[in-house]
Short mmCIF file of all heavy atoms in Angstrom, two decimals:
data_model
loop_
_atom_site.label_atom_id
_atom_site.label_comp_id
_atom_site.label_asym_id
_atom_site.label_seq_id
_atom_site.Cartn_x
_atom_site.Cartn_y
_atom_site.Cartn_z
N MET A 964 0.83 -1.21 0.00
CA MET A 964 0.00 0.00 0.00
C MET A 964 0.87 1.27 0.00
O MET A 964 0.80 2.11 -0.85
CB MET A 964 -0.90 0.03 1.26
CG MET A 964 -2.08 -0.90 1.15
SD MET A 964 -3.18 -0.53 -0.26
CE MET A 964 -4.73 -1.10 0.42
N HIS A 965 1.74 1.34 1.03
CA HIS A 965 2.59 2.51 1.15
C HIS A 965 3.60 2.64 0.02
O HIS A 965 3.91 3.73 -0.42
CB HIS A 965 3.32 2.50 2.50
CG HIS A 965 2.46 3.02 3.60
ND1 HIS A 965 2.28 2.38 4.79
CD2 HIS A 965 1.70 4.13 3.68
CE1 HIS A 965 1.44 3.08 5.54
NE2 HIS A 965 1.09 4.14 4.90
N ASN A 966 4.09 1.49 -0.43
CA ASN A 966 5.05 1.53 -1.52
C ASN A 966 4.47 2.25 -2.73
O ASN A 966 5.12 3.01 -3.41
CB ASN A 966 5.47 0.11 -1.91
CG ASN A 966 6.49 -0.44 -0.92
OD1 ASN A 966 7.06 0.33 -0.15
ND2 ASN A 966 6.69 -1.73 -0.92
N GLN A 967 3.20 2.01 -3.00
CA GLN A 967 2.54 2.66 -4.13
C GLN A 967 2.56 4.18 -3.95
O GLN A 967 2.90 4.93 -4.84
CB GLN A 967 1.10 2.15 -4.22
CG GLN A 967 0.34 2.68 -5.44
CD GLN A 967 0.95 2.19 -6.75
OE1 GLN A 967 1.33 1.03 -6.87
NE2 GLN A 967 1.06 3.07 -7.72
N LEU A 968 2.23 4.63 -2.76
CA LEU A 968 2.22 6.07 -2.47
C LEU A 968 3.60 6.68 -2.69
O LEU A 968 3.74 7.71 -3.32
CB LEU A 968 1.81 6.30 -1.02
CG LEU A 968 0.30 6.43 -0.76
CD1 LEU A 968 0.03 6.58 0.72
CD2 LEU A 968 -0.27 7.62 -1.51
N PHE A 969 4.60 6.01 -2.14
CA PHE A 969 5.94 6.57 -2.20
C PHE A 969 6.46 6.64 -3.63
O PHE A 969 7.11 7.60 -4.01
CB PHE A 969 6.90 5.77 -1.34
CG PHE A 969 6.80 6.15 0.11
CD1 PHE A 969 6.51 5.20 1.08
CD2 PHE A 969 7.00 7.47 0.51
CE1 PHE A 969 6.42 5.57 2.42
CE2 PHE A 969 6.90 7.84 1.84
CZ PHE A 969 6.61 6.88 2.80
N SER A 970 6.15 5.62 -4.41
CA SER A 970 6.65 5.63 -5.78
C SER A 970 5.99 6.75 -6.58
O SER A 970 6.60 7.38 -7.42
CB SER A 970 6.43 4.28 -6.46
OG SER A 970 5.07 3.96 -6.48
N ASN A 971 4.74 7.05 -6.29
CA ASN A 971 4.09 8.19 -6.94
C ASN A 971 4.76 9.49 -6.54
O ASN A 971 4.98 10.37 -7.36
CB ASN A 971 2.61 8.25 -6.54
CG ASN A 971 1.79 7.22 -7.30
OD1 ASN A 971 2.26 6.70 -8.30
ND2 ASN A 971 0.60 6.93 -6.82
N HIS A 972 5.08 9.60 -5.28
CA HIS A 972 5.70 10.82 -4.77
C HIS A 972 7.09 11.03 -5.35
O HIS A 972 7.50 12.14 -5.58
CB HIS A 972 5.81 10.74 -3.25
CG HIS A 972 4.84 11.65 -2.57
ND1 HIS A 972 5.11 12.97 -2.31
CD2 HIS A 972 3.59 11.43 -2.13
CE1 HIS A 972 4.07 13.52 -1.72
NE2 HIS A 972 3.13 12.61 -1.60
N ALA A 973 7.78 9.92 -5.59
CA ALA A 973 9.16 10.01 -6.04
C ALA A 973 9.27 10.80 -7.34
O ALA A 973 10.26 11.49 -7.57
CB ALA A 973 9.74 8.62 -6.22
N SER A 974 8.24 10.74 -8.19
CA SER A 974 8.30 11.46 -9.45
C SER A 974 8.25 12.97 -9.23
O SER A 974 8.53 13.75 -10.12
CB SER A 974 7.18 11.02 -10.39
OG SER A 974 5.94 11.20 -9.79
N PHE A 975 7.85 13.38 -8.02
CA PHE A 975 7.86 14.80 -7.69
C PHE A 975 8.89 15.08 -6.60
O PHE A 975 8.58 15.60 -5.54
CB PHE A 975 6.49 15.27 -7.23
CG PHE A 975 5.51 15.39 -8.35
CD1 PHE A 975 4.55 14.41 -8.55
CD2 PHE A 975 5.57 16.47 -9.22
CE1 PHE A 975 3.65 14.52 -9.59
CE2 PHE A 975 4.68 16.58 -10.26
CZ PHE A 975 3.71 15.60 -10.44
N GLY A 976 10.10 14.64 -6.85
CA GLY A 976 11.16 14.84 -5.87
C GLY A 976 11.56 16.29 -5.77
O GLY A 976 11.00 17.16 -6.42
N ARG A 977 12.58 16.52 -4.95
CA ARG A 977 13.02 17.89 -4.71
C ARG A 977 13.32 18.64 -6.00
O ARG A 977 12.93 19.77 -6.20
CB ARG A 977 14.27 17.88 -3.83
CG ARG A 977 13.96 17.86 -2.36
CD ARG A 977 15.20 17.53 -1.57
NE ARG A 977 15.64 16.15 -1.82
CZ ARG A 977 16.79 15.65 -1.42
NH1 ARG A 977 17.64 16.40 -0.78
NH2 ARG A 977 17.11 14.40 -1.65
N GLY A 978 14.05 17.97 -6.90
CA GLY A 978 14.45 18.63 -8.13
C GLY A 978 13.28 19.03 -9.00
O GLY A 978 13.35 19.99 -9.76
N ASP A 979 12.16 18.31 -8.88
CA ASP A 979 11.02 18.59 -9.73
C ASP A 979 10.15 19.72 -9.21
O ASP A 979 9.26 20.18 -9.90
CB ASP A 979 10.17 17.32 -9.89
CG ASP A 979 10.87 16.30 -10.76
OD1 ASP A 979 11.48 16.71 -11.76
OD2 ASP A 979 10.81 15.10 -10.44
N MET A 980 10.37 20.14 -7.99
CA MET A 980 9.56 21.21 -7.42
C MET A 980 9.56 22.44 -8.33
O MET A 980 8.55 23.09 -8.49
CB MET A 980 10.11 21.62 -6.05
CG MET A 980 9.75 20.64 -4.96
SD MET A 980 8.02 20.71 -4.50
CE MET A 980 8.10 21.96 -3.22
N ASN A 981 10.72 22.72 -8.92
CA ASN A 981 10.84 23.92 -9.75
C ASN A 981 9.99 23.83 -11.00
O ASN A 981 9.72 24.84 -11.63
CB ASN A 981 12.30 24.14 -10.14
CG ASN A 981 13.13 24.53 -8.93
OD1 ASN A 981 12.60 25.12 -7.99
ND2 ASN A 981 14.40 24.19 -8.95
N ARG A 982 9.61 22.62 -11.35
CA ARG A 982 8.82 22.47 -12.58
C ARG A 982 7.33 22.55 -12.29
O ARG A 982 6.52 22.52 -13.20
CB ARG A 982 9.17 21.15 -13.28
CG ARG A 982 10.38 21.30 -14.17
CD ARG A 982 10.58 20.10 -15.06
NE ARG A 982 11.54 19.18 -14.47
CZ ARG A 982 11.45 17.86 -14.59
NH1 ARG A 982 10.45 17.31 -15.23
NH2 ARG A 982 12.36 17.09 -14.07
N TRP A 983 6.95 22.62 -11.03
CA TRP A 983 5.54 22.78 -10.73
C TRP A 983 5.07 24.13 -11.24
O TRP A 983 5.82 25.10 -11.17
CB TRP A 983 5.30 22.72 -9.21
CG TRP A 983 5.38 21.35 -8.65
CD1 TRP A 983 5.87 20.24 -9.26
CD2 TRP A 983 4.97 20.93 -7.34
NE1 TRP A 983 5.79 19.17 -8.39
CE2 TRP A 983 5.24 19.56 -7.24
CE3 TRP A 983 4.39 21.61 -6.27
CZ2 TRP A 983 4.95 18.84 -6.08
CZ3 TRP A 983 4.11 20.89 -5.12
CH2 TRP A 983 4.38 19.52 -5.03
N PRO A 984 3.86 24.18 -11.73
CA PRO A 984 3.33 25.49 -12.16
C PRO A 984 3.38 26.46 -10.98
O PRO A 984 3.01 26.11 -9.87
CB PRO A 984 1.88 25.18 -12.53
CG PRO A 984 1.85 23.71 -12.80
CD PRO A 984 2.91 23.11 -11.93
N VAL A 985 3.83 27.67 -11.25
CA VAL A 985 4.00 28.64 -10.17
C VAL A 985 2.68 28.88 -9.45
O VAL A 985 2.62 28.95 -8.23
CB VAL A 985 4.53 29.98 -10.73
CG1 VAL A 985 4.52 31.05 -9.65
CG2 VAL A 985 5.93 29.78 -11.29
N SER A 986 1.60 28.96 -10.19
CA SER A 986 0.30 29.25 -9.58
C SER A 986 -0.06 28.21 -8.54
O SER A 986 -0.63 28.52 -7.50
CB SER A 986 -0.79 29.33 -10.65
OG SER A 986 -0.86 28.11 -11.35
N LYS A 987 0.28 26.96 -8.82
CA LYS A 987 -0.01 25.88 -7.87
C LYS A 987 0.66 26.15 -6.53
O LYS A 987 0.11 25.88 -5.48
CB LYS A 987 0.51 24.54 -8.42
CG LYS A 987 -0.43 23.91 -9.41
CD LYS A 987 -1.59 23.19 -8.72
CE LYS A 987 -2.41 22.43 -9.74
NZ LYS A 987 -3.74 22.09 -9.23
N LYS A 988 1.88 26.67 -6.61
CA LYS A 988 2.64 26.87 -5.37
C LYS A 988 2.18 28.11 -4.62
O LYS A 988 2.08 28.09 -3.41
CB LYS A 988 4.14 26.98 -5.71
CG LYS A 988 4.78 25.62 -5.93
CD LYS A 988 6.28 25.71 -5.91
CE LYS A 988 6.82 26.39 -7.16
NZ LYS A 988 8.27 26.28 -7.24
N VAL A 989 1.90 29.17 -5.34
CA VAL A 989 1.64 30.43 -4.66
C VAL A 989 0.22 30.54 -4.13
O VAL A 989 -0.01 31.19 -3.12
CB VAL A 989 1.92 31.65 -5.57
CG1 VAL A 989 3.40 31.69 -5.91
CG2 VAL A 989 1.06 31.62 -6.79
N GLU A 990 -0.76 29.92 -4.77
CA GLU A 990 -2.14 30.15 -4.37
C GLU A 990 -2.39 29.68 -2.94
O GLU A 990 -3.25 30.22 -2.26
CB GLU A 990 -3.11 29.49 -5.34
CG GLU A 990 -3.08 27.96 -5.30
CD GLU A 990 -3.97 27.38 -6.40
OE1 GLU A 990 -4.69 28.15 -7.04
OE2 GLU A 990 -3.92 26.16 -6.59
N VAL A 991 -1.61 28.72 -2.48
CA VAL A 991 -1.79 28.24 -1.12
C VAL A 991 -1.20 29.21 -0.11
O VAL A 991 -1.78 29.47 0.93
CB VAL A 991 -1.14 26.85 -0.95
CG1 VAL A 991 -1.35 26.34 0.49
CG2 VAL A 991 -1.72 25.88 -1.95
N PHE A 992 -0.04 29.74 -0.45
CA PHE A 992 0.72 30.52 0.53
C PHE A 992 0.48 32.01 0.42
O PHE A 992 0.59 32.72 1.40
CB PHE A 992 2.21 30.24 0.36
CG PHE A 992 2.56 28.80 0.61
CD1 PHE A 992 2.89 27.96 -0.43
CD2 PHE A 992 2.54 28.29 1.90
CE1 PHE A 992 3.19 26.62 -0.19
CE2 PHE A 992 2.85 26.97 2.15
CZ PHE A 992 3.17 26.13 1.10
N LEU A 993 0.17 32.49 -0.77
CA LEU A 993 0.07 33.93 -0.96
C LEU A 993 -1.37 34.36 -1.11
O LEU A 993 -1.79 34.82 -2.15
CB LEU A 993 0.88 34.35 -2.18
CG LEU A 993 2.37 34.04 -2.12
CD1 LEU A 993 3.06 34.60 -3.36
CD2 LEU A 993 2.99 34.62 -0.87
N LEU A 994 -2.13 34.20 -0.04
CA LEU A 994 -3.50 34.68 -0.05
C LEU A 994 -3.49 36.20 0.05
O LEU A 994 -2.73 36.77 0.81
CB LEU A 994 -4.28 34.08 1.12
CG LEU A 994 -4.45 32.57 1.06
CD1 LEU A 994 -4.99 32.07 2.41
CD2 LEU A 994 -5.38 32.17 -0.05
N LYS A 995 -4.35 36.81 -0.73
CA LYS A 995 -4.40 38.26 -0.74
C LYS A 995 -5.40 38.76 0.30
O LYS A 995 -6.41 38.12 0.59
CB LYS A 995 -4.83 38.76 -2.14
CG LYS A 995 -3.83 38.44 -3.23
CD LYS A 995 -2.52 39.19 -3.03
CE LYS A 995 -1.60 38.93 -4.21
NZ LYS A 995 -0.32 39.63 -4.07
N CYS A 996 -5.12 39.93 0.81
CA CYS A 996 -6.00 40.54 1.79
C CYS A 996 -7.28 41.01 1.10
O CYS A 996 -7.24 41.55 0.01
CB CYS A 996 -5.29 41.72 2.45
SG CYS A 996 -6.34 42.61 3.60
N ASP A 997 -8.43 40.78 1.75
CA ASP A 997 -9.70 41.22 1.18
C ASP A 997 -9.79 42.74 1.11
O ASP A 997 -10.39 43.30 0.21
CB ASP A 997 -10.87 40.70 2.03
CG ASP A 997 -11.32 39.32 1.57
OD1 ASP A 997 -10.93 38.93 0.45
OD2 ASP A 997 -12.05 38.67 2.31
N VAL A 998 -9.20 43.39 2.10
CA VAL A 998 -9.30 44.85 2.18
C VAL A 998 -8.24 45.51 1.32
O VAL A 998 -8.52 46.44 0.57
CB VAL A 998 -9.16 45.32 3.63
CG1 VAL A 998 -9.36 46.83 3.74
CG2 VAL A 998 -10.16 44.57 4.52
N HIS A 999 -7.03 45.00 1.45
CA HIS A 999 -5.91 45.57 0.69
C HIS A 999 -5.50 44.57 -0.38
O HIS A 999 -4.69 43.68 -0.12
CB HIS A 999 -4.74 45.88 1.62
CG HIS A 999 -5.17 46.60 2.87
ND1 HIS A 999 -5.35 45.97 4.08
CD2 HIS A 999 -5.49 47.90 3.06
CE1 HIS A 999 -5.74 46.88 4.98
NE2 HIS A 999 -5.83 48.05 4.39
N LYS A 1000 -6.07 44.70 -1.53
CA LYS A 1000 -5.97 43.68 -2.58
C LYS A 1000 -4.53 43.36 -2.98
O LYS A 1000 -4.24 42.29 -3.47
CB LYS A 1000 -6.74 44.14 -3.83
CG LYS A 1000 -8.20 44.44 -3.57
CD LYS A 1000 -8.99 43.20 -3.16
CE LYS A 1000 -10.46 43.53 -3.02
NZ LYS A 1000 -11.25 42.41 -2.46
N GLU A 1001 -3.66 44.31 -2.79
CA GLU A 1001 -2.27 44.11 -3.21
C GLU A 1001 -1.42 43.49 -2.11
O GLU A 1001 -0.28 43.11 -2.35
CB GLU A 1001 -1.65 45.44 -3.65
CG GLU A 1001 -2.34 46.07 -4.85
CD GLU A 1001 -2.41 45.12 -6.02
OE1 GLU A 1001 -1.38 44.55 -6.39
OE2 GLU A 1001 -3.51 44.93 -6.57
N GLU A 1002 -1.99 43.41 -0.92
CA GLU A 1002 -1.20 42.92 0.21
C GLU A 1002 -1.39 41.42 0.39
O GLU A 1002 -2.49 40.90 0.22
CB GLU A 1002 -1.61 43.65 1.50
CG GLU A 1002 -1.22 45.11 1.50
CD GLU A 1002 0.27 45.29 1.71
OE1 GLU A 1002 0.93 44.34 2.13
OE2 GLU A 1002 0.75 46.41 1.46
N THR A 1003 -0.30 40.76 0.74
CA THR A 1003 -0.36 39.33 1.01
C THR A 1003 -0.61 39.10 2.48
O THR A 1003 -0.08 39.81 3.34
CB THR A 1003 0.99 38.69 0.62
OG1 THR A 1003 1.24 38.95 -0.75
CG2 THR A 1003 0.95 37.19 0.85
N LEU A 1004 -1.41 38.09 2.78
CA LEU A 1004 -1.66 37.74 4.17
C LEU A 1004 -0.45 36.99 4.72
O LEU A 1004 -0.38 35.78 4.65
CB LEU A 1004 -2.92 36.86 4.27
CG LEU A 1004 -4.21 37.51 3.78
CD1 LEU A 1004 -5.34 36.49 3.85
CD2 LEU A 1004 -4.57 38.73 4.61
N ASN A 1005 0.48 37.74 5.23
CA ASN A 1005 1.72 37.11 5.70
C ASN A 1005 1.94 37.30 7.19
O ASN A 1005 3.01 37.01 7.71
CB ASN A 1005 2.91 37.62 4.90
CG ASN A 1005 3.04 39.14 4.96
OD1 ASN A 1005 2.27 39.79 5.66
ND2 ASN A 1005 3.98 39.69 4.25
N MET A 1006 0.92 37.79 7.88
CA MET A 1006 1.01 37.93 9.32
C MET A 1006 -0.12 37.12 9.95
O MET A 1006 -1.14 36.88 9.33
CB MET A 1006 0.85 39.39 9.76
CG MET A 1006 1.48 40.37 8.81
SD MET A 1006 3.04 41.05 9.37
CE MET A 1006 2.56 42.01 10.76
N PHE A 1007 0.09 36.73 11.20
CA PHE A 1007 -0.98 36.02 11.90
C PHE A 1007 -1.21 36.68 13.24
O PHE A 1007 -0.27 36.86 14.03
CB PHE A 1007 -0.62 34.54 12.08
CG PHE A 1007 -1.74 33.74 12.68
CD1 PHE A 1007 -2.78 33.28 11.89
CD2 PHE A 1007 -1.78 33.46 14.04
CE1 PHE A 1007 -3.83 32.55 12.43
CE2 PHE A 1007 -2.82 32.73 14.60
CZ PHE A 1007 -3.86 32.28 13.79
N CYS A 1008 -2.45 37.07 13.51
CA CYS A 1008 -2.78 37.70 14.78
C CYS A 1008 -3.23 36.64 15.77
O CYS A 1008 -4.26 35.99 15.54
CB CYS A 1008 -3.87 38.75 14.58
SG CYS A 1008 -4.42 39.46 16.14
N ASP A 1009 -2.48 36.46 16.81
CA ASP A 1009 -2.85 35.46 17.82
C ASP A 1009 -4.16 35.84 18.51
O ASP A 1009 -4.99 35.00 18.80
CB ASP A 1009 -1.74 35.35 18.87
CG ASP A 1009 -0.60 34.48 18.39
OD1 ASP A 1009 -0.87 33.57 17.58
OD2 ASP A 1009 0.54 34.72 18.82
N GLU A 1010 -4.33 37.10 18.77
CA GLU A 1010 -5.50 37.57 19.52
C GLU A 1010 -6.80 37.31 18.78
O GLU A 1010 -7.80 36.91 19.35
CB GLU A 1010 -5.35 39.05 19.84
CG GLU A 1010 -6.31 39.51 20.90
CD GLU A 1010 -5.68 40.58 21.79
OE1 GLU A 1010 -4.51 40.41 22.18
OE2 GLU A 1010 -6.35 41.57 22.06
N HIS A 1011 -6.79 37.55 17.48
CA HIS A 1011 -7.99 37.31 16.68
C HIS A 1011 -7.94 35.98 15.96
O HIS A 1011 -8.90 35.61 15.28
CB HIS A 1011 -8.14 38.43 15.64
CG HIS A 1011 -8.39 39.79 16.26
ND1 HIS A 1011 -7.47 40.81 16.20
CD2 HIS A 1011 -9.43 40.26 16.97
CE1 HIS A 1011 -7.95 41.87 16.85
NE2 HIS A 1011 -9.14 41.56 17.33
N SER A 1012 -6.84 35.26 16.09
CA SER A 1012 -6.68 33.97 15.43
C SER A 1012 -7.00 34.07 13.95
O SER A 1012 -7.77 33.27 13.40
CB SER A 1012 -7.57 32.91 16.08
OG SER A 1012 -7.14 32.65 17.38
N LYS A 1013 -6.44 35.06 13.30
CA LYS A 1013 -6.68 35.17 11.86
C LYS A 1013 -5.45 35.71 11.17
O LYS A 1013 -4.62 36.41 11.76
CB LYS A 1013 -7.90 36.04 11.58
CG LYS A 1013 -7.74 37.47 12.05
CD LYS A 1013 -8.98 38.28 11.77
CE LYS A 1013 -9.11 38.60 10.28
NZ LYS A 1013 -10.21 39.57 10.01
N LEU A 1014 -5.38 35.38 9.89
CA LEU A 1014 -4.31 35.92 9.06
C LEU A 1014 -4.63 37.37 8.71
O LEU A 1014 -5.80 37.74 8.54
CB LEU A 1014 -4.20 35.11 7.77
CG LEU A 1014 -3.63 33.70 7.91
CD1 LEU A 1014 -3.97 32.88 6.68
CD2 LEU A 1014 -2.13 33.75 8.11
N CYS A 1015 -3.60 38.16 8.60
CA CYS A 1015 -3.81 39.54 8.19
C CYS A 1015 -2.60 40.02 7.42
O CYS A 1015 -1.52 39.44 7.53
CB CYS A 1015 -4.08 40.42 9.39
SG CYS A 1015 -2.86 40.29 10.70
N CYS A 1016 -2.80 41.06 6.65
CA CYS A 1016 -1.69 41.63 5.91
C CYS A 1016 -0.99 42.66 6.78
O CYS A 1016 -1.46 43.00 7.87
CB CYS A 1016 -2.18 42.25 4.60
SG CYS A 1016 -2.94 43.86 4.80
N ALA A 1017 0.11 43.18 6.30
CA ALA A 1017 0.88 44.14 7.09
C ALA A 1017 0.04 45.38 7.39
O ALA A 1017 0.10 45.93 8.49
CB ALA A 1017 2.15 44.52 6.34
N ASN A 1018 -0.76 45.81 6.42
CA ASN A 1018 -1.60 46.98 6.64
C ASN A 1018 -2.65 46.72 7.70
O ASN A 1018 -2.88 47.54 8.58
CB ASN A 1018 -2.29 47.38 5.33
CG ASN A 1018 -1.39 48.22 4.46
OD1 ASN A 1018 -0.43 48.81 4.95
ND2 ASN A 1018 -1.68 48.28 3.18
N CYS A 1019 -3.32 45.57 7.60
CA CYS A 1019 -4.34 45.23 8.58
C CYS A 1019 -3.71 45.11 9.97
O CYS A 1019 -4.29 45.57 10.95
CB CYS A 1019 -5.02 43.91 8.21
SG CYS A 1019 -6.21 44.08 6.88
N ALA A 1020 -2.55 44.51 10.04
CA ALA A 1020 -1.88 44.35 11.31
C ALA A 1020 -1.65 45.72 11.93
O ALA A 1020 -1.84 45.92 13.12
CB ALA A 1020 -0.56 43.61 11.12
N PHE A 1021 -1.26 46.64 11.09
CA PHE A 1021 -0.97 48.00 11.57
C PHE A 1021 -2.25 48.71 11.96
O PHE A 1021 -2.32 49.41 12.97
CB PHE A 1021 -0.22 48.77 10.48
CG PHE A 1021 0.18 50.16 10.92
CD1 PHE A 1021 1.20 50.34 11.84
CD2 PHE A 1021 -0.48 51.26 10.40
CE1 PHE A 1021 1.55 51.62 12.24
CE2 PHE A 1021 -0.13 52.54 10.80
CZ PHE A 1021 0.89 52.72 11.73
N LEU A 1022 -3.29 48.54 11.16
CA LEU A 1022 -4.52 49.30 11.37
C LEU A 1022 -5.42 48.66 12.43
O LEU A 1022 -6.04 49.36 13.23
CB LEU A 1022 -5.31 49.39 10.05
CG LEU A 1022 -4.65 50.21 8.95
CD1 LEU A 1022 -5.42 50.02 7.64
CD2 LEU A 1022 -4.61 51.68 9.32
N ASN A 1023 -5.50 47.34 12.42
CA ASN A 1023 -6.53 46.67 13.23
C ASN A 1023 -5.98 45.78 14.33
O ASN A 1023 -6.74 45.30 15.17
CB ASN A 1023 -7.40 45.80 12.33
CG ASN A 1023 -8.04 46.59 11.20
OD1 ASN A 1023 -8.43 47.72 11.39
ND2 ASN A 1023 -8.11 45.98 10.04
N HIS A 1024 -4.70 45.52 14.30
CA HIS A 1024 -4.17 44.52 15.23
C HIS A 1024 -3.01 45.07 16.05
O HIS A 1024 -2.02 44.40 16.27
CB HIS A 1024 -3.76 43.26 14.47
CG HIS A 1024 -4.88 42.67 13.67
ND1 HIS A 1024 -5.89 41.91 14.22
CD2 HIS A 1024 -5.17 42.77 12.36
CE1 HIS A 1024 -6.73 41.56 13.27
NE2 HIS A 1024 -6.33 42.06 12.13
N ARG A 1025 -3.19 46.28 16.45
CA ARG A 1025 -2.19 46.85 17.35
C ARG A 1025 -2.64 46.61 18.77
O ARG A 1025 -3.55 47.27 19.27
CB ARG A 1025 -2.02 48.36 17.08
CG ARG A 1025 -1.21 48.61 15.81
CD ARG A 1025 -1.07 50.08 15.56
NE ARG A 1025 -2.39 50.70 15.29
CZ ARG A 1025 -2.57 52.00 15.09
NH1 ARG A 1025 -1.58 52.81 15.15
NH2 ARG A 1025 -3.77 52.45 14.84
N HIS A 1026 -2.07 45.64 19.40
CA HIS A 1026 -2.54 45.24 20.73
C HIS A 1026 -1.75 45.88 21.84
O HIS A 1026 -2.12 45.79 22.99
CB HIS A 1026 -2.48 43.73 20.88
CG HIS A 1026 -3.19 43.01 19.76
ND1 HIS A 1026 -4.52 43.15 19.54
CD2 HIS A 1026 -2.71 42.20 18.81
CE1 HIS A 1026 -4.86 42.42 18.48
NE2 HIS A 1026 -3.78 41.83 18.02
N ALA A 1027 -0.66 46.50 21.46
CA ALA A 1027 0.23 47.02 22.50
C ALA A 1027 -0.44 48.13 23.31
O ALA A 1027 -1.18 48.92 22.80
CB ALA A 1027 1.52 47.54 21.88
ZN1 ZN B 1465 -5.29 44.14 4.80
ZN1 ZN B 1466 -5.70 41.15 15.99
#
C-alpha cells in the first residue's frame, strides 16, 4: 500500500519542485487581503486567530 504512495511521490522529488506550475505553489501561501488587494496575508494575529496583511496588522491589530 505505502510503496505505491511513495513511488508516486518520487516522481515529484526535490528537483522537480521547480517544474511545478507557479500558480499551484503560490495560491496556497500567498492569499491576498480582502481589504488591501495588493497585500499578502503574511502575518498572523494570535489575539484574533486570523491571518492579516501588514496593513491590517498595523490598522486593526495593534494590541500594545
Ligand atoms: Zn489588509
Ligand atoms: Zn488582531
Side-chain angles (χ1 to χ4, degrees):
M964 283 301 210
H965 278 130
N966 281 345
Q967 184 65 42
L968 272 177
F969 279 123
S970 59
N971 283 343
H972 253 274
S974 57
F975 286 102
R977 273 167 293 170
D979 288 320
M980 284 287 271
N981 291 332
R982 275 191 264 145
W983 285 13
V985 172
S986 59
K987 279 281 187 198
K988 280 194 288 190
V989 296
E990 68 186 352
V991 181
F992 298 107
L993 299 184
L994 295 169
K995 295 294 185 180
C996 176
D997 271 345
V998 184
H999 313 100
K1000 303 295 184 187
E1001 298 305 309
E1002 291 286 345
T1003 302
L1004 299 176
N1005 57 4
M1006 324 257 293
F1007 185 81
C1008 175
D1009 280 331
E1010 195 145 316
H1011 295 112
S1012 293
K1013 63 181 286 189
L1014 289 162
C1015 52
C1016 78
N1018 277 340
C1019 283
F1021 183 72
L1022 293 171
N1023 304 322
H1024 303 282
R1025 284 180 295 177
H1026 307 298

